Amino acid sequence: SEVRIAQQFGIGYLPMTVVKEQKLLERFVREAGLPEPKVTWTQVSGAAAMNDALLTGNLDFASAGVAPMITMWARTKGRLDVRGVTSLGSMPNYLNTSNPAVKSLADFGEKDRIALPAVKVGFQAVLLQMAAAEAFGKDNYGKLDPITVSMSHPDATIALLGGRSEVTAHFASPPFQEQQLQDPRVHRVLSSYDVLGGPHSFNIVYATGKFRDANPKTVAAFVAAIDAANDFIARNPKEAAALYIKAENSKLEPAFVENLVTDKATRFTSAPENTMKFAEFMHQVGLIKEKPASWKDLFVPELHGKAGS
Amino acid sequence: MAWRPEREYRPAPPGAIGDVSQSLPWLHRLAAREDFWRLAVLVALALVWEGYGRWLDDDLLFPTFSQTVAALWTATVSGVLPLRTLASLETLAMGYAGGVALAAILTTFATSTRIGAALLTTLTAMFNPLPAIALLPLALLWFGLGTPSLVFVITHSVLWAVALNAHAGFRSVGPTLRKAGHTFGLTGWRYVAGILVPAAFPSILSGLKMGWAFAWRTLIAAELVFGASSSGGGLGWFIFEHRNQLLIAEVFAGLLTVIAIGLVVESLVFGTIERRTLDRWGMRR
Amino acid sequence: MAWRPEREYRPAPPGAIGDVSQSLPWLHRLAAREDFWRLAVLVALALVWEGYGRWLDDDLLFPTFSQTVAALWTATVSGVLPLRTLASLETLAMGYAGGVALAAILTTFATSTRIGAALLTTLTAMFNPLPAIALLPLALLWFGLGTPSLVFVITHSVLWAVALNAHAGFRSVGPTLRKAGHTFGLTGWRYVAGILVPAAFPSILSGLKMGWAFAWRTLIAAELVFGASSSGGGLGWFIFEHRNQLLIAEVFAGLLTVIAIGLVVESLVFGTIERRTLDRWGMRR
Amino acid sequence: MSALPSSARRGEPMPSAGTASPLLAVRDVTIQYRTPDRLVTAVYDVSFDVLKGDRFVLLGPSGCGKSTLLGAVAGFLHPAAGTITLDGREVRDPGPDRMVVFQEFDQLLPWKTVRANVAYPMITSGRFDRRTALERADAFIAKVGLSAFADSHPHTLSGGMKQRVAIARALALEPAMLLMDEPFAALDALTRRKMQGELNELWEDTRFTLLFVTHSIEEAIVIGNRILVMTPHPGQVRAELDASGLGEADRGTPAFAQLERRIHGMLFGEAHG
Amino acid sequence: MSALPSSARRGEPMPSAGTASPLLAVRDVTIQYRTPDRLVTAVYDVSFDVLKGDRFVLLGPSGCGKSTLLGAVAGFLHPAAGTITLDGREVRDPGPDRMVVFQEFDQLLPWKTVRANVAYPMITSGRFDRRTALERADAFIAKVGLSAFADSHPHTLSGGMKQRVAIARALALEPAMLLMDEPFAALDALTRRKMQGELNELWEDTRFTLLFVTHSIEEAIVIGNRILVMTPHPGQVRAELDASGLGEADRGTPAFAQLERRIHGMLFGEAHG
Ligand SMILES: Nc1ncnc2c1ncn2[C@@H]1O[C@H](COP(=O)(O)OP(=O)(O)OP(=O)(O)O)[C@@H](O)[C@H]1O
Ligand SMILES: Nc1ncnc2c1ncn2[C@@H]1O[C@H](COP(=O)(O)OP(=O)(O)OP(=O)(O)O)[C@@H](O)[C@H]1O
Ligand SMILES: [Mg+2]
Ligand SMILES: [Mg+2]
């Protein structure tokens, strides 16, 4: 049998990279008493393509940010029944700016431009709206939307660091946010952890109900593999960083990557954190029609034993 | 050879032959009309779409024609789609105009000098295969975020097709017509406008048609890549936004709008121009 | 009118006139060569690039030509770029072949029946402006993730340009040549291959050239959307990867590869074909 | 059509029957064009016979339907009424047994050399194998005096040379009939005369059967042995005349001038007979 | 070029000077073409004068440089040596004072009606205002007998009709000189004769100055009052002959035939004088 998995770019997918490089899924499937599967790994460049691939049956495990995964859950509920299989850990996303006058959200002016991968709908856009709701009141969650612009992380980083464009801020993700902060002209306005009051899951692996029902042991093995990978990362951050650099053919400094991995805000865990806050907010602003009763609605039973939220 | 008699005949008078030229019944005339067949093709395609959609039964992946039309209706009535379409058309018009203007300059240059011709063919071979994202850094640098950059990319996509076709058209203008123009005392711009442009019009028009198709393609793709600000945003953004929310019927409604506008422009704008010019001048290939 | 004398002359014998047809000096002959000017344009462009890049002095945004060439060299020597290029070229070739084959079928159909013509023009007007992402769900549904889907999207991008041009070319084949072909007893496929295709070759070739440019454009854009299996990935993925790592010189090296291949194909492949066919046959427009 | 035998021939049997059985028999043929919204009658109720070895000329004013009639014999068009039979078989489609030489210079395949142009229909028709075809091609190219240009492409030839190639191509195939639609009309006067002479020499040489369209009375007399005079649109037969005694050499003789005047009268409505 | 006065004219003063001062003076003109890698001499050391009201014919075999010479007079080409002056001013560029009628049918602007085609150069040259131009256009269209087609586009006209429009267009502008490069060569023989007659009638009517290129001896005699006979490539002057006494009506007369034979001899190398 074949298991088809897709991941995206970035340090946030490190657990999957470890699973891939160390062939952990193969091992746990074997240990569950099934014949060793052929695992096919694919890299996909965005959530939209990821979802299409999952919906057309070209993928078994898809991975994307929390927001797209919740959208997917809401839209397929009662039919394809997509659910999260595991979190890929919690990482903060920073809102960085090159405008020295900006110390908080309230300081953004007409002339500022905040870059996001996708205005209004993406993970960072939802984060920014949640932050705006906190800063300006529940109903003013959209206050900053008019000054947001869509841009991919690398493009936004170039724009911000180049200093020649109107982009003065960027709601980034690792490792771009750290790369930006190496430039003295750039400083952090807020971290997503501040917005959610603590760590929150960043990327989620998800699968359809049909696959889960047909392959319960594979799903369990996948969770176990991620757990084992997280364990490895926690114990051998240096090797994990080296593994990442090799797998991604990255030109980043090993020390820089290691710092990302060992950052105390970063937690590589399979347990979903603060996902319900996302779901509630997305429901509140109308991005999804239905609200999950609890985080357990969003995830497979295999995870329900963990300390999720 | 055996001898053969000569013969003379008294031909039937015109009246005796019946109508030398008779009207055909309406069914024949209908079948001879291009529009009729185009409409038939459109209807057939809609039916195939509906059928396949129903058979698939997966509105997350491929909504049916009727679902799409329903979504189109809702989005139109709510005013969102018209607004977005208008925004796109505005950008498109600017980029298209820019591309055509630049193409005019480049082609004039290419037509009048050797190095100009080399410049045009080389630039076209170089830049035509480049996707819009390749221009992103320069666009951002020169024009900043939003519409101006979009206009730049559309200009780029239109420019080469139009310039290439116009250049080919100019080159194919016969020496007789050229000389005739010169004899009239026309030189420089008056010569280009008075002789070359109308004489190369079939080629120019086909370049314009192709440029139009690219402009759309590029716009939709570029709106995703280039900082669409949330305040504005065109059709491309409409599509992307709904795609992100997995509202696929709306996505298809957006695409259907693109198609509909394409068909309208093709048959109304370009079709009318063709009828008014090429057909009347006997220059249709 | 006043009376004028008749006159007879004794013309100079051929030898007395000197060389009736003389060779020109090499500088003149060089200046008359297209390649010379193309090369000059290329060198000039490289210089402008280098100069602007140095003046900007921002290798994150716009690396200089020399930086790009250095990155190109490293990536080539390491074997990554050639591998990726090969992968892309393979996909491209398949998609291109598919597009051309489909175009051949569609055009044959359009040339032989009324409804076929309506089908071709309508489909072209509809699908030509559609960006590749619009086809993504269908491509995934029918062909799955990876190369087959890429091939499908490239096929789509090539198809319309080639079909449109070929159809226009077929329509422009004169009635005399058509009748001549029929007189030879040619019908069906032998007629198309023996008469129509060579007669419409200028148009077909320009369609093929345009299709080639689109295929590249689409491939680069589509590789980003469709992703890559861990083993492979083409030039588009190479560009995307390095962009993600903010290695902009490598990104430009990738784009330069695209341009270089475009130029090579344009001047070597298509140029040779043109010289061997159109020029020799006196059919160059 | 009311056949009215001229005074000279009154009381004779069916004239079209002749004595030999005809190679081409056109019987009561009416031809119509279907435009997008009209039906136009171009040729009305025309009958004639062409015997083997005839140089049969269709003569008439511009637009009278000569090309239409020739096109029907070639098989490009189908009569709305009447029948056209060649050697007893009804003509349905174009085919290499009725090679056509057109007025236009673009009837050669520009992508083939002169030799290949001449050989091509011999090969595609399957009548000759490749080698024989090329040999015959060379022979016929020599006959029209173009051996030096056998390897040239058509675009390097002058108009007259192109027409010669087209004639060589048609003759080389040994068609049952050679159809020519104003083949010399686009040539200048000097070349035209020369080509008329050459055609006659070729006929002396190979004795093909020819159906020749022209609107020049002089050309009709120089080339034809039978002349079918047609009325203006819609084309009907005005007369079928004998010109077998007159050729190039007779230009300017009283007999030539008389026939010329007689046909002129028929075409332009003066008294005849 | 060694000028060898023929026996009849021996010992006379500079023959090209004539008695009136020439409208067009071509002096020792040599013209070369520059191809990508060669320099080809097309016309060598040619001199002649055209007086006002002349119907001056350039006659010579194909490829001898007639069109090249006419092109130089029109201003499309520049002599490598020698001078061309019109009314004393050197010819540098094409201009509406030397209207050209070409052999090709595509010299009309297909995107303009017949009337607009005739009026266009009058307007662009700034010689007439719009209204006058249109009035003159109608008048000249009437002169060439095409009033019924004034609102048609060129593609609906036959070749002969197109040439008539081109002539009307050229004449309407009242050019100092009318240049015609084998304007009737692409027409069939009947139409060609008719057009020759019409051109002569127009000349009787308006007395323009004409420079006419042909390779038909007969046409040269019918049209011209002076005939410049040229040698084969590279083109030089063989003779400048007087044909002022001969016109259409003289076709077939002994004088006509004699001149025809004389020119024929010059062109095809038989003994002369
Ligand atoms: N394709 C067509 N569609 C409609 N009518 C046509 C078509 N071709 C010819 N006709 C009509 O048929 C008539 C005969 O045309 P045809 O070309 O046979 O004349 P022709 O005698 O060959 O003239 P010409 O000497 O000018 O070649 C014309 O009057 C024309 O109106
Ligand atoms: N564009 C050109 N490039 C090079 N050589 C040329 C060009 N045009 C003409 N020639 C040469 O100049 C010579 C004269 O050509 P030109 O066209 O003036 O002859 P012509 O007398 O008008 O012939 P025709 O009667 O066939 O029109 C020819 O022998 C030809 O080789
Ligand atoms: Mg005809
Ligand atoms: Mg000439």
Side-chain angles (χ1 to χ4, degrees):
Chain A
S1 67
E2 188 185 2
V3 180
R4 296 157 304 170
I5 309 171
Q7 67 174 102
Q8 299 189 44
F9 270 107
I11 194 74
Y13 293 90
L14 180 59
M16 287 182 99
T17 307
V18 174
V19 169
K20 174 168 102 184
E21 293 298 312
Q22 303 196 334
K23 301 205 184 304
L24 293 176
L25 184 60
E26 287 89 331
R27 198 179 96 203
F28 283 99
V29 170
R30 237 187 299 120
E31 283 177 9
L34 296 176
E36 183 173 315
K38 178 174 175 288
V39 183
T40 312
W41 292 85
T42 306
Q43 281 198 313
V44 171
S45 62
M50 190 71 82
N51 287 343
D52 276 332
L54 187 72
L55 288 171
T56 51
N58 285 295
L59 279 184
D60 299 321
F61 293 103
S63 57
V66 172
M69 179 263 155
I70 291 174
T71 309
M72 192 73 169
W73 169 84
R75 292 281 292 151
T76 60
K77 192 163 178 291
R79 291 184 297 178
L80 261 181
D81 201 22
V82 168
R83 283 192 191 200
V85 170
T86 171
S87 168
L88 289 174
S90 303
M91 282 186 155
N93 282 211
Y94 299 157
L95 175 60
N96 289 340
T97 183
S98 59
N99 183 351
V102 175
K103 302 279 184 273
S104 74
L105 287 193
D107 299 330
F108 280 113
E110 297 257 294
K111 284 253 150 61
D112 287 303
R113 287 289 177 276
I114 306 171
L116 305 165
V119 305
K120 285 190 179 164
V121 287
F123 179 68
Q124 282 82 0
V126 172
L127 277 177
L128 187 68
Q129 287 182 340
M130 290 171 90
E134 274 175 25
F136 309 119
K138 222 165 176 287
D139 295 333
N140 289 330
Y141 66 87
K143 189 157 185 253
L144 291 175
D145 284 357
I147 61 165
T148 58
V149 294
S150 294
M151 256 187 174
S152 70
H153 286 311
D155 292 341
T157 303
I158 293 169
L160 194 66
L161 294 181
R164 279 192 182 82
S165 82
E166 308 97 295
V167 173
T168 54
H170 176 208
F171 215 133
S173 70
F176 296 102
Q177 53 197 18
E178 283 81 7
Q179 284 173 287
Q180 290 165 12
L181 288 173
Q182 287 177 341
D183 189 315
R185 288 170 301 175
V186 178
H187 69 275
R188 189 170 94 190
V189 180
L190 60 79
S191 155
S192 57
Y193 281 11
D194 307 340
V195 180
L196 286 147
H200 61 83
S201 297
F202 178 29
N203 293 315
I204 308 285
V205 175
Y206 49 97
T208 62
K210 193 168 144 231
F211 177 78
R212 296 194 315 268
D213 294 344
N215 307 283
K217 285 187 175 168
T218 308
V219 172
F222 192 91
V223 177
I226 291 288
D227 280 334
N230 288 340
D231 195 42
F232 171 79
I233 296 166
R235 278 190 287 116
N236 313 296
K238 205 182 191 87
E239 280 165 54
L243 203 71
Y244 174 82
I245 286 172
K246 180 171 154 276
E248 300 257 298
N249 197 15
S250 175
K251 303 286 187 304
L252 294 175
E253 292 293 317
F256 179 83
V257 178
E258 195 186 337
N259 272 340
L260 290 179
V261 174
T262 55
D263 190 303
K264 62 182 177 310
T266 302
R267 296 158 49 141
F268 286 106
T269 163
S270 60
E273 295 183 305
N274 274 324
T275 49
M276 265 313 279
K277 284 199 178 151
F278 273 103
E280 275 162 8
F281 183 80
M282 287 169 75
H283 177 250
Q284 182 200 322
V285 303
L287 282 176
I288 55 174
K289 294 217 176 57
E290 235 171 315
K291 192 168 72 166
S294 86
W295 70 273
K296 292 181 182 171
D297 271 6
L298 291 172
F299 288 89
V300 293
E302 284 80 352
L303 234 52
H304 291 181
K306 311 221 171 187
S309 60
Chain B
M1 198 172 298
W3 177 84
R4 277 185 285 161
E6 291 196 342
R7 298 220 69 206
E8 286 195 29
Y9 302 80
R10 183 172 293 160
I17 300 176
D19 257 349
V20 169
S21 139
Q22 308 163 354
S23 240
L24 285 170
W26 67 269
L27 209 89
H28 277 100
R29 274 182 286 163
L30 186 67
R33 284 188 65 110
E34 182 109 10
D35 333 5
F36 169 75
W37 290 107
R38 296 194 112 199
L39 202 72
V41 167
L42 286 179
V43 170
L45 282 176
L47 287 177
V48 168
W49 178 354
E50 181 72 22
Y52 185 64
R54 274 171 197 262
W55 177 79
L56 256 184
D57 192 23
D58 186 347
D59 61 352
L60 275 183
L61 204 57
F62 192 76
T64 63
F65 179 66
S66 47
Q67 285 169 330
T68 305
V69 169
L72 186 67
W73 176 247
T74 322
T76 305
V77 167
S78 76
V80 178
L81 194 60
L83 219 72
R84 294 298 169 88
T85 307
L86 222 67
S88 276
L89 281 177
E90 226 172 88
T91 317
L92 205 67
M94 285 189 286
Y96 193 70
V100 171
L102 270 183
I105 296 172
L106 204 60
T107 314
T108 307
F109 187 44
T111 308
S112 46
T113 65
R114 264 204 111 72
I115 185 140
L119 194 72
L120 179 68
T121 51
T122 313
L123 287 182
T124 308
M126 283 172 69
F127 291 127
N128 211 8
L130 278 192
I133 48 147
L135 297 174
L136 182 74
L138 288 182
L140 284 178
L141 189 62
W142 293 338
F143 302 103
L145 293 166
T147 311
S149 277
L150 279 179
V151 170
F152 171 74
V153 187
I154 295 173
T155 296
H156 162 261
S157 75
V158 172
L159 172 58
W160 309 116
V162 175
L164 205 65
N165 273 287
H167 183 56
F170 282 6
R171 280 206 315 194
S172 75
V173 175
T176 315
L177 218 45
R178 288 172 188 280
K179 285 186 195 165
H182 287 308
T183 325
F184 302 167
L186 296 177
T187 49
W189 268 106
R190 290 175 72 213
Y191 172 67
V192 172
I195 304 291
L196 290 187
V197 169
F201 204 66
S203 274
I204 292 177
L205 202 64
S206 94
L208 288 176
K209 268 159 104 171
M210 227 159 226
W212 167 255
F214 297 169
W216 260 122
R217 239 195 235 190
T218 308
L219 179 72
I220 302 295
E223 280 190 4
L224 310 187
V225 180
F226 279 87
S229 60
S230 67
S231 54
L235 257 179
W237 184 248
F238 178 90
I239 292 168
F240 183 67
E241 203 180 8
H242 287 93
R243 200 168 143 71
N244 258 319
Q245 296 184 47
L246 292 175
L247 297 169
I248 306 302
E250 273 76 9
V251 171
F252 274 68
L255 293 172
L256 200 62
T257 310
V258 174
I259 290 180
I261 294 177
L263 284 176
V264 167
V265 169
E266 170 87 20
S267 65
L268 282 195
V269 180
F270 287 114
T272 308
I273 293 180
E274 274 177 1
R275 249 173 292 119
R276 290 259 174 100
T277 58
L278 303 189
D279 286 353
R280 192 181 290 173
W281 306 343
M283 282 166 86
R284 173 97 81 164
R285 290 254 158 78
Chain C
M1 200 171 297
W3 177 85
R4 278 187 282 163
E6 291 197 341
R7 300 219 69 205
E8 287 195 25
Y9 302 79
R10 182 173 294 158
I17 300 179
D19 256 351
V20 170
S21 140
Q22 308 164 353
S23 240
L24 283 172
W26 68 269
L27 207 89
H28 277 102
R29 274 182 288 161
L30 185 69
R33 283 188 65 109
E34 182 111 9
D35 331 8
F36 168 75
W37 291 108
R38 295 193 114 201
L39 203 71
V41 167
L42 286 178
V43 171
L45 282 176
L47 287 178
V48 168
W49 178 356
E50 181 71 23
Y52 187 64
R54 275 172 195 261
W55 177 79
L56 257 184
D57 190 25
D58 184 348
D59 61 352
L60 209 52
L61 195 62
F62 191 73
T64 64
F65 179 66
S66 49
Q67 286 169 331
T68 305
V69 169
L72 186 68
W73 176 248
T74 322
T76 306
V77 167
S78 77
V80 178
L81 195 58
L83 219 73
R84 296 299 172 85
T85 308
L86 222 68
S88 275
L89 280 176
E90 223 173 89
T91 317
L92 206 66
M94 286 190 284
Y96 193 70
V100 172
L102 270 183
I105 297 172
L106 205 59
T107 313
T108 307
F109 188 44
T111 308
S112 46
T113 63
R114 262 205 111 72
I115 186 140
L119 196 70
L120 179 67
T121 50
T122 312
L123 287 183
T124 308
M126 281 171 70
F127 290 129
N128 210 8
L130 277 191
I133 49 147
L135 297 174
L136 185 73
L138 286 182
L140 285 172
L141 192 62
W142 293 338
F143 302 103
L145 211 52
T147 310
S149 277
L150 277 180
V151 170
F152 171 73
V153 184
I154 295 173
T155 297
H156 162 261
S157 76
V158 172
L159 171 59
W160 308 116
V162 176
L164 207 63
N165 272 287
H167 183 55
F170 283 7
R171 280 206 316 191
S172 75
V173 176
T176 315
L177 217 47
R178 289 170 187 280
K179 284 187 196 163
H182 287 308
T183 326
F184 301 166
L186 297 176
T187 48
W189 267 106
R190 290 175 71 214
Y191 172 66
V192 172
I195 305 290
L196 288 188
V197 170
F201 204 65
S203 274
I204 292 176
L205 202 64
S206 93
L208 288 176
K209 268 160 102 171
M210 228 162 225
W212 167 255
F214 298 167
W216 261 121
R217 239 195 236 192
T218 309
L219 179 71
I220 302 293
E223 279 190 4
L224 308 189
V225 179
F226 281 86
S229 62
S230 52
S231 55
L235 255 180
W237 192 251
F238 178 89
I239 291 168
F240 178 69
E241 237 175 9
H242 287 90
R243 202 161 171 72
N244 253 316
Q245 297 186 37
L246 299 179
L247 297 169
I248 306 303
E250 274 77 6
V251 171
F252 274 69
L255 293 172
L256 200 60
T257 311
V258 174
I259 290 180
I261 295 176
L263 283 175
V264 167
V265 168
E266 169 85 22
S267 64
L268 283 195
V269 180
F270 287 115
T272 309
I273 295 180
E274 274 177 2
R275 247 171 294 119
R276 291 259 172 98
T277 58
L278 303 191
D279 286 353
R280 190 181 292 174
W281 306 345
M283 283 167 87
R284 174 98 80 160
R285 289 256 156 77
Chain D
M1 190 172 62
S2 57
L4 174 96
S6 74
S7 53
R9 316 288 172 210
R10 202 178 320 231
E12 274 178 326
M14 265 305 284
S16 56
T19 47
S21 98
L23 175 66
L24 177 81
V26 174
R27 289 275 174 281
D28 310 324
V29 160
T30 295
I31 308 172
Q32 298 179 319
Y33 283 102
R34 167 170 296 195
T35 65
D37 43 32
R38 309 197 70 75
L39 203 61
V40 179
T41 302
V43 169
Y44 182 72
D45 197 16
V46 166
S47 302
F48 61 88
D49 283 339
V50 177
L51 307 189
K52 207 159 161 24
D54 262 352
R55 304 182 308 277
F56 198 98
V57 175
L58 302 181
L59 176 68
S62 188
C64 77
K66 304 180 296 295
S67 298
T68 306
L69 202 48
L70 186 109
V73 173
F76 302 133
L77 297 163
H78 300 286
T83 57
I84 301 177
T85 53
L86 183 77
D87 248 344
R89 278 188 309 279
E90 195 168 338
V91 165
R92 297 196 174 281
D93 295 307
D97 54 342
R98 283 149 292 135
M99 285 297 285
V100 186
V101 176
F102 301 93
Q103 168 180 355
E104 291 85 7
F105 295 159
D106 64 344
Q107 63 191 302
L108 301 182
L109 311 181
W111 54 92
K112 286 187 182 295
T113 61
V114 165
R115 180 184 291 115
N117 255 294
V118 176
Y120 186 64
M122 288 192 268
I123 299 169
T124 58
S125 67
R127 292 236 211 115
F128 301 92
D129 64 58
R130 189 172 198 82
R131 258 195 49 164
T132 325
L134 286 172
E135 274 165 20
R136 284 180 66 84
D138 282 332
F140 276 86
I141 292 168
K143 244 181 205 147
V144 296
L146 289 177
S147 293
F149 298 89
D151 292 314
S152 305
H153 279 91
H155 73 105
T156 62
L157 306 182
S158 75
M161 289 155 89
K162 284 184 199 161
Q163 295 307 81
R164 278 191 208 130
V165 177
I167 294 171
R169 176 174 75 179
L171 287 178
L173 199 60
E174 281 182 350
M177 252 189 121
L178 183 58
L179 314 180
M180 300 179 113
D181 190 355
E182 312 199 26
F184 309 142
L187 301 176
D188 68 87
L190 281 180
T191 319
R192 187 172 187 161
R193 272 204 186 190
K194 221 172 118 212
M195 297 288 296
Q196 289 167 354
E198 277 181 21
L199 182 65
N200 280 336
E201 272 166 40
L202 278 171
W203 184 83
E204 296 293 342
D205 195 20
T206 41
R207 301 273 163 160
F208 44 86
T209 308
L210 176 66
L211 184 64
F212 189 99
V213 163
T214 184
H215 53 226
S216 154
I217 300 174
E218 190 197 0
E219 188 168 83
I221 302 176
V222 168
I223 298 224
N225 70 326
R226 298 290 287 180
I227 300 175
L228 193 79
V229 184
M230 294 177 71
T231 67
H233 180 224
Q236 302 179 62
V237 179
R238 179 69 186 74
E240 189 182 325
L241 304 177
D242 191 88
S244 48
L246 296 167
E248 277 172 279
D250 308 300
R251 256 193 258 257
T253 62
F256 196 103
Q258 199 211 327
L259 183 55
E260 212 170 352
R261 242 175 296 124
R262 187 170 159 219
I263 298 177
H264 194 275
M266 286 179 175
L267 287 177
F268 301 106
E270 289 161 36
H272 61 83
Chain E
M1 186 173 62
S2 59
L4 176 95
S6 76
S7 53
R9 316 285 170 211
R10 197 175 326 224
E12 274 180 322
M14 268 304 284
S16 57
T19 47
S21 97
L23 175 66
L24 177 81
V26 174
R27 288 275 174 281
D28 309 325
V29 161
T30 295
I31 308 173
Q32 298 178 320
Y33 282 103
R34 166 169 296 198
T35 66
D37 45 31
R38 306 199 70 76
L39 201 62
V40 179
T41 302
V43 169
Y44 182 73
D45 196 16
V46 167
S47 302
F48 62 88
D49 283 337
V50 177
L51 308 189
K52 205 159 162 32
D54 261 352
R55 302 182 311 276
F56 198 100
V57 175
L58 303 180
L59 176 68
S62 189
C64 77
K66 305 179 295 295
S67 299
T68 306
L69 203 47
L70 186 108
V73 173
F76 302 135
L77 298 163
H78 300 286
T83 57
I84 301 177
T85 53
L86 183 77
D87 247 346
R89 279 187 309 278
E90 195 168 338
V91 165
R92 296 195 175 283
D93 295 307
D97 53 342
R98 282 150 291 138
M99 284 299 284
V100 186
V101 176
F102 301 92
Q103 169 179 356
E104 292 85 6
F105 295 159
D106 63 346
Q107 61 190 304
L108 301 182
L109 311 181
W111 55 93
K112 286 188 183 292
T113 60
V114 165
R115 180 184 291 116
N117 256 294
V118 176
Y120 186 62
M122 288 194 266
I123 297 169
T124 57
S125 67
R127 293 236 210 116
F128 301 91
D129 65 56
R130 192 173 195 82
R131 259 194 50 165
T132 323
L134 287 172
E135 275 165 20
R136 284 181 68 84
D138 281 333
F140 277 85
I141 293 168
K143 244 180 206 147
V144 297
L146 288 176
S147 293
F149 298 89
D151 292 313
S152 305
H153 279 90
H155 73 105
T156 61
L157 305 183
S158 77
M161 289 155 88
K162 283 185 200 160
Q163 294 308 81
R164 278 192 208 130
V165 177
I167 293 171
R169 177 172 73 178
L171 286 179
L173 200 60
E174 281 182 348
M177 251 188 123
L178 183 58
L179 314 179
M180 299 180 110
D181 190 357
E182 313 198 27
F184 310 141
L187 301 176
D188 67 88
L190 281 180
T191 320
R192 186 172 187 161
R193 273 203 186 193
K194 221 172 116 212
M195 297 286 297
Q196 290 166 355
E198 277 181 21
L199 182 65
N200 280 336
E201 271 166 42
L202 277 171
W203 185 83
E204 295 294 339
D205 195 17
T206 41
R207 300 273 165 161
F208 45 84
T209 310
L210 177 66
L211 183 66
F212 189 99
V213 163
T214 185
H215 55 226
S216 156
I217 301 175
E218 190 198 1
E219 188 169 82
I221 302 176
V222 167
I223 296 220
N225 68 326
R226 298 291 287 181
I227 300 175
L228 193 80
V229 183
M230 294 177 70
T231 67
H233 179 226
Q236 303 177 63
V237 178
R238 181 66 188 74
E240 188 183 326
L241 305 177
D242 191 86
S244 50
L246 297 167
E248 277 172 278
D250 309 300
R251 258 191 256 258
T253 62
F256 195 103
Q258 200 213 323
L259 184 55
E260 213 170 349
R261 243 176 293 123
R262 186 167 159 219
I263 298 176
H264 194 276
M266 287 179 176
L267 287 175
F268 301 106
E270 288 160 37
H272 61 84

